[in-house]
Each structure stands twice: as structure tokens, then as C-alpha cells.
Amino acid sequence: MGYRDRCQTTVLLKGLNLQLRRGRLVALLGQNGAGKSTLLRAVTCATRPLAGYVELAGVGVDLHQLSYRERSRLVGLVTTERVLAGALTVRELVELGRQPYTGQLGRLDDHDHEVVDEALESVGIAHKREAMIADLSDGERQKVMIAKALAQRTPLIVLDEPTAFLDVASRIEMMTLLHRLAHEQGKAILLSSHDISQSLLLADELWVITADRSVVAGPTEEVVLSGIMGHVFTSEALAFNNELGDYEAVLPTAKSVSLDCDEPLLRRCLIAALLRHGVGVAPAANIRVRAASPTRFLVESPGRASHEVSSVPALLAHLCRVDE
Amino acid sequence: MSRSRFTLTLVVLAAVLLLLAAACLFFGSVDIEAAEVWNILTGHPSENRAWNIIVLQTRLPMVVTATLAGAALSVSGLLLQTTFNNPLAGPSILGVSTGAGLGVAVVMLALGGTVGSSVTLHSTGSYLATLVGALVGAGAVLIILMLMAQVVRSSTMLLIVGILVSYLTSSIVSLLNSIASEEGVHSYVTWGFGTFSGVSTEQLLLFSVALLVPLCLTVFMVKPLNALLLGQRYAENLGVNSRRTRNVLLLLTGLLTAVVTAYCDPIAFIGLVVPHIARLSLGTSNHARLLPATLLAGGCVALACALVSVVSPYGIIPINAITPIIGVPIIIYIIINRRRINYFN
């Protein structure tokens, strides 16, 4: 499936030539205002790009040239908009996804019911099919909207920040679900997200809008290894942490130490604690901290005897007194 | 929502509708024996000719008028609430009714009468002119609302705009009337009271057809209305041409409200409240079920108002004096309980 577009509002995204393939989960990343939603609106034909077109393999025409009804069978949409559908049952809402195929009166036939049941099963919400939307959690509501998009039986599903209002558990569940749907059902799934770590883990491809408004697209590992992740945000107060695979605050440091620690979680906690107290971690630093266990730290500095402390606060206090 | 609850609700509403209709036929400001009423209705005229006239030419048209007007206003309220995605929308609160009223007023004045004296006009031509006037008035207000909806995104603000438009049109009506004539003052005083007795037997056919046609057409709007519950963007993604759908919905709303207003004056609250009665009793937003329930409940509420208005020992009470008594408590209940009511969440 090919997608080429020049998308321009007050914000400019120029000369885009992006492709989505079936069976791939694609995450669109970028800072707020970078044009993620605008790009998604162009793909879903909510707004027309100033120039360019969106083409679907096998259709051979610009999506924007099609009628609403024709498009509704090609692209399914999930947004974070709060919907006023609290008094519909889960099933009734997912049945709306069959509207592209039903007649004037919207009657569902046996096949439609089957598709709806299947969609409910796929997202794992079938046990709540008779529940009211109002009684669902945010995560469950999002699943219902995804089931609605599945019931549309479109080759492409577009999700605008599907994890925005969810807690970590639901966010991970959602991303895993989308990953599974892309692979098992052969859908092309495009989602925008602020959840970098989950995207790097579960997306097959990334479309990254950088701070200077260029779009870098490709397989996730390729994009990450290109070092482009460091150029997504304009702010100087954060940096992409290669070890974490996520962004981290940049704090001013007065001195730096080198850290020996084999236990990864202890290492992580120590780095954070040191950073919060103005101590950076650099392999070549003169002061050396060896962490054997959470209760035993050894500090070695040039020209001084090594000093042992038994707690993190004591370690921090000691480091304040030591010169580099 | 269970199918049995839906069936039960419809059966109860239909039964209440029939009971109220019967009550309106058998009771009124003049006491007529029940047996006599039954005879007159079944084609055996009474010896008292006045009773024949009262039953066949006053009570029967009033029952039909109230049922259809109530149903029409309620359905137009339902359409407006979904179109504007605003549960507090309604033909009277958004000024559509008063807009239609203004249209009527302009036509009446142009035809040389005074506002509110429609009962004195008899030619079919002037009825049609009145209807067209009402339609143009309602349409104008709807267009204003549509344009404002593009500018003011907040639904509360849109309601306030509607209320302002409604004040404005009312004031234009009274200005027109005071300019028109001295005796116009009296007819203005009674204008806007609301009545279901304004449709004579001869006009009943035109009135009924003008309402039944758009009411039947709303069946075809159930599908897009349900899609619109998810908002414009989702609806478009489900294949709904939102602009065209909205235009059709507003046309239907305008038609229903205009016809009712031309014959019954602007009637408050019914269009706003009845869709909520339907939603609360069914517990659903699904228009396939809401629409029939709204139709029946609208007929019931209007008939109840009509009954109260004619059985009072102190003479006829204006309909618009009764509708707030039914409507306001329900609206306040809804506002207080909105966190617990499914369709707000």
C-alpha cells in the first residue's frame, strides 16, 4: 500500500513519501504540534492534504476521490475523542462498524453478526458484550472502538493516540493487542503515540517527525540506530537514553563518577539518585563508585583511601565532600 | 439493552396514549355522557347537535392534533439533540419554534390579519402561506444555528445563542404586532399560549400529512443518527456524509417544528423533554429504539397537556402554562443526575 502526501497546514510537512504494508504495526512519533494528527487526518481523509494523495493498493485511486461509503470500507479509525455513546451496549457500538456494509435501515444479517462477534473476541471484550459503554474503563472503551474498526473489515486501521488516557498496564496491553492484530489479521495499522518505549518495543516500523519537520520512516531498529531519536524534541531539557530506549530528563551535574555495578536495577536506581543530586555518571571519571549490594558501596578517588558506606544517602553525602 | 424492556416500554406507552386519547374524547369543558360520546364516535349522532359538533369537530381534531404535534416536536427535539451533540437542545430552546412563529407572524401581517388570529383565516391558500412562512422562519433560525455551531464549539454556548435568537424573534414578533394595529394587542396577548385546538376538521388532513411524511422519513435517518453518536469524525469514517446528513436532519426538524408552530403556536419543553423520557425509560441511545418510543411518549405528553388544559374548571389553560410543569422537573432531575445517567457518559 502506498502513501504519498504533502501535508500542509500552518505546520509544514513536505515531500512525504510513506508506505504502509499489511501485517505491520507502524508507530508515528513526534512532539506535540509536529503534525502527527494532521498526517493521520490526511490518511483518514478527515482533511485533504494541500497537495499529494493517499493511494491504496488494489484500489488504484486517491482515497480522497472516493465517497465516504467507499472509504469507510478501506480505512478504519480510532480516536481518543470522548464519545457520547454511554447508553449503547458494547455490542451495539461494535455493530456500528458494520454500517459501511448495511442498507438504508442499517439492518444486520447473519454475516454481520458473525463479524461483530469475531471483532469482540479479537480484542478480548466479548465477555462484556452486553455491558453499557458508560460502565467501561477507558482501556475497555478503547478496545471497543478497536473492535468497531475491526468490524469495518478494512485493510488499514488508523489510531490517533490510542494509549493517551490509559495507565501503563492498559497501554502495554493495547500495544500488544495492536501488534497481534497486525500480524494475525494482516492489517496495516498506523498509530500515533507518545509512548516511546512501547512503540520501540512493539512497532514494526516507525515514522518519526523530527523537530525540524522532516519525517524519517523505516523499520524500527533502523530508525533508532540512525540516531534520529535524539532529534525529535526541540527542548534541551531531555535526551534520548540509548540504554533505556526512552527519553530522560537532562539535569545539570557538578561532578561525575564512574559506576561499577552488575545488578541492572540497582545500577538504574543509583544513576537516578546520583543525577538528582548533581552527580553524572561517566566511565572515565576519576571518582569510582563500586556498588556491591544496596547496602555496601565503595568510593575510590585519586589520592585518597577508599571509603566504604552502607546506604545511598551516606554515599551521596560522601560524594558531596569528595573533590574530583 | 434487553429486547423485553423495549417491547414493554412501547406497549405501556401505546396503552397510555390510547387511555389519554380516550380521556380527551370523553372529558372536556362540557360534560357529555360517556355513552353519548361513544355513540357519536361510532357513527350514531346524538340528538343534541351541539354535542355532535363538540365531539367530532372539537375533541377529535384536538386529540389528533395533540398526538401528532407532540410526536413531531419530540422527534425534532431528538434529531436536534443528536445533530448538535447536545442533550439540552430542543426546537423551542434553540429558537426554532419562535423562528417559525416569526415566519407565521410576517405572513399573517402581510395578509392583513394580526398575529395569532390564524383561526380567522379560512382559505387553503392562506394556510399554505402560513406554513411556508413558518418553514422559512424555522429554516432561517436553523441556518443561523448551523453557522454559529461552526464558530462556537461549546455546546453550552450554542444553547445560549439559541435562547438569544429565541428572545430576538419573540421581540420582533411583538414589535411587528404593535406596529400592525390597535386590536392586534389582544391577539398578541393570546399568541404564544400554545393550543392544540387550532386545527379545524377541514385542515386536519393537510396538517396530518405535513407531519406524517417527515415523521416517516426519519426512519431512514436512524442509521446515520446512530453513527453521529460517536461524533462527526467517527461518523464520516463509518460512511456518513456528515454535511448532507446534517442538512437532511435540519430540514426534517425545521419541517416538523414549522408545521406544528403554524397551527399550535411555539410550544415549549415538549421537544426538549420527551427524548429524555424515552432515553431514561429505555436506557439506550440507540435511535432504532429511541425513535418509536419518542414518537409515542411525545403523543402521550401532548395529550396529557391537552387534557389538563380542557378539564380545568377555570376555563381553558394555555398549553405553554402546562408544559414547563412537566418539563422543568425532568430537566432538573437530568442535570442533577447526569453523572449517573448512562447517556451522558
Side-chain angles (χ1 to χ4, degrees):
Chain A
M1 198 198 90
Y3 166 62
R4 228 180 301 159
D5 175 66
R6 281 159 72 93
C7 182
Q8 186 179 352
T9 53
T10 42
V11 183
L12 279 168
L13 284 176
K14 281 197 207 174
L16 304 183
N17 184 346
L18 300 165
Q19 303 207 345
L20 290 166
R21 287 180 202 85
R22 276 176 171 270
R24 300 285 178 91
L25 177 63
V26 178
L28 172 61
L29 308 176
Q31 60 182 352
N32 274 345
K36 293 195 298 292
S37 293
T38 314
L39 185 54
L40 293 188
R41 291 179 71 87
V43 179
T44 55
C45 301
T47 42
R48 196 172 270 276
L50 292 181
Y53 57 92
V54 184
E55 200 186 86
L56 207 66
V59 180
V61 285
D62 184 1
L63 278 187
H64 288 266
Q65 307 283 330
L66 300 175
S67 71
Y68 284 100
R69 196 171 163 89
E70 287 166 317
R71 279 201 299 253
S72 65
R73 298 174 181 186
L74 298 172
V75 185
L77 173 73
V78 177
T79 71
T80 41
E81 279 166 59
R82 197 82 176 153
V83 298
L84 267 182
L88 291 183
T89 63
V90 167
R91 205 192 155 84
E92 280 174 319
L93 200 152
V94 177
E95 283 173 355
L96 293 180
R98 293 309 291 165
Q99 285 209 354
Y101 303 94
T102 56
Q104 287 279 337
L105 296 176
R107 275 189 196 286
L108 303 179
D109 61 22
D110 290 344
H111 173 66
D112 293 317
H113 285 295
E114 267 168 45
V115 174
V116 169
D117 283 328
E118 221 171 89
L120 287 166
E121 296 286 346
S122 312
V123 302
I125 198 87
H127 59 292
K128 292 218 168 170
R129 71 183 80 211
E130 297 306 327
M132 289 308 209
I133 298 294
D135 299 330
L136 301 184
S137 70
D138 286 341
E140 288 169 331
R141 280 178 187 227
Q142 204 66 297
K143 282 188 194 170
V144 174
M145 297 316 289
I146 292 173
K148 181 231 57 152
L150 287 177
Q152 277 177 262
R153 283 283 164 100
T154 55
L156 168 63
I157 297 179
V158 174
L159 305 98
D160 198 350
E161 295 193 18
T163 57
F165 298 119
L166 307 182
D167 62 19
V168 183
S170 318
R171 249 188 280 167
I172 292 177
E173 194 186 345
M174 190 64 51
M175 287 296 286
T176 317
L177 169 68
L178 292 170
H179 170 80
R180 186 166 58 76
L181 291 176
H183 287 253
E184 285 178 4
Q185 307 201 6
K187 306 261 181 204
I189 299 185
L190 171 62
L191 62 90
S192 63
S193 179
H194 283 296
D195 192 345
I196 309 289
S197 52
Q198 296 313 319
S199 302
L200 296 199
L201 185 64
L202 289 165
D204 299 296
E205 286 178 35
L206 296 183
W207 292 2
V208 178
I209 305 181
T210 60
D212 58 1
R213 301 201 184 288
S214 59
V215 178
V216 177
T220 305
E221 53 289 349
E222 229 170 75
V223 171
V224 175
L225 292 174
S226 76
I228 203 69
M229 300 308 289
H231 302 283
V232 174
F233 292 93
T234 30
S235 165
E236 299 284 324
L238 57 80
F240 187 73
N241 182 320
N242 292 330
E243 224 169 297
L244 278 180
D246 204 344
Y247 290 90
E248 205 175 46
V250 174
L251 299 171
T253 51
K255 60 179 78 168
S256 52
V257 298
S258 72
L259 183 62
D260 277 358
C261 180
D262 296 332
E263 213 278 291
L265 187 60
L266 176 59
R267 187 180 160 80
R268 235 1 274 164
C269 293
L270 276 178
I271 291 176
L274 291 169
L275 270 175
R276 282 200 297 275
H277 291 81
V279 182
V281 174
N286 287 330
I287 309 172
R288 193 165 173 203
V289 176
R290 289 165 184 264
S293 76
T295 51
R296 191 157 166 263
F297 305 98
L298 216 59
V299 183
E300 297 165 355
S301 49
R304 290 180 73 160
S306 68
H307 179 85
E308 192 179 321
V309 290
S310 60
S311 72
V312 177
L315 171 68
L316 293 168
H318 178 72
L319 285 175
C320 281
R321 292 194 299 271
V322 186
D323 291 324
E324 274 180 81
Chain B
M1 197 211 50
S2 65
R3 186 152 294 166
S4 54
R5 182 173 171 187
F6 174 62
T7 318
L8 183 70
T9 310
L10 281 201
V11 169
V12 168
L13 284 174
V16 171
L17 187 78
L18 287 176
L19 275 176
L20 283 168
C24 286
L25 289 169
F26 285 90
F27 302 100
S29 42
V30 178
D31 281 329
I32 307 175
E33 280 172 43
E36 285 287 346
V37 174
W38 180 253
N39 285 338
I40 296 168
L41 287 172
T42 50
H44 307 93
S46 162
E47 280 164 24
N48 186 334
R49 292 187 59 201
W51 286 2
N52 291 336
I53 292 171
I54 288 171
V55 172
L56 291 177
Q57 293 187 29
T58 306
R59 291 187 185 176
L60 192 59
M62 185 193 76
V63 167
V64 176
T65 307
T67 312
L68 286 174
L73 288 174
S74 308
V75 168
S76 87
L78 177 65
L79 302 188
L80 282 172
Q81 288 172 7
T82 307
T83 311
F84 287 108
N85 207 349
N86 188 334
L88 291 180
S92 56
I93 206 157
L94 287 178
V96 185
S97 296
T98 41
L102 174 60
V104 174
V106 170
V107 171
M108 306 300 317
L109 290 172
L111 293 177
T114 49
V115 181
S117 55
S118 59
V119 191
T120 60
L121 286 172
H122 285 297
S123 75
T124 313
S126 59
Y127 287 128
L128 279 176
T130 322
L131 268 180
V132 170
L135 200 56
V136 170
V141 171
L142 283 168
I143 289 170
I144 293 171
L145 286 173
M146 278 318 307
L147 294 176
M148 291 305 285
Q150 312 278 328
V151 186
V152 286
R153 294 261 162 221
S154 148
S155 49
T156 320
M157 281 301 155
L158 191 69
L159 274 186
I160 292 172
V161 169
I163 293 165
L164 293 178
V165 169
S166 147
Y167 273 115
L168 195 65
T169 42
S170 303
S171 102
I172 297 173
V173 172
S174 44
L175 280 177
L176 281 177
N177 220 342
S178 62
I179 294 163
S181 64
E182 293 278 324
E183 68 264 33
V185 175
H186 170 71
S187 60
Y188 174 66
V189 170
T190 56
W191 187 82
F193 276 14
T195 173
F196 293 131
S197 305
V199 186
S200 67
T201 320
E202 302 81 55
Q203 301 159 14
L204 203 57
L205 183 68
L206 175 63
F207 178 79
S208 307
V209 171
L211 288 182
L212 284 173
V213 170
L215 279 178
C216 291
L217 289 177
T218 50
V219 174
F220 294 101
M221 302 313 288
V222 165
K223 186 179 158 181
L225 281 169
N226 279 338
L228 279 172
L229 285 176
L230 303 183
Q232 188 190 333
R233 208 171 154 202
Y234 272 125
E236 287 183 354
N237 181 251
L238 289 170
V240 175
N241 182 335
S242 59
R243 181 183 293 254
R244 199 174 62 197
T245 303
R246 206 165 48 191
N247 289 343
V248 173
L249 285 171
L250 292 181
L251 185 70
L252 287 172
T253 313
L255 206 58
L256 291 169
T257 311
V259 173
V260 173
T261 307
Y263 287 98
C264 310
D265 299 354
I267 290 178
F269 282 105
I270 290 185
L272 169 61
V273 163
V274 173
H276 288 284
I277 296 178
R279 282 193 205 98
L280 289 173
S281 49
L282 291 176
T284 185
S285 304
N286 184 345
H287 290 81
R289 288 171 174 175
L290 268 187
L291 193 65
T294 304
L295 270 170
L296 289 174
C300 291
V301 170
L303 279 173
C305 293
L307 187 63
V308 173
S309 97
V310 294
V311 296
S312 146
Y314 308 104
I316 306 256
I317 305 173
I319 298 295
N320 277 333
I322 308 162
T323 54
I325 297 173
I326 299 176
V328 173
I330 295 178
I331 296 301
I332 289 176
Y333 169 82
I334 287 164
I335 290 173
I336 290 175
N337 288 291
R338 61 181 296 159
R339 288 192 182 282
R340 271 182 285 152
I341 297 174
N342 278 343
Y343 58 83
F344 281 111
N345 291 294

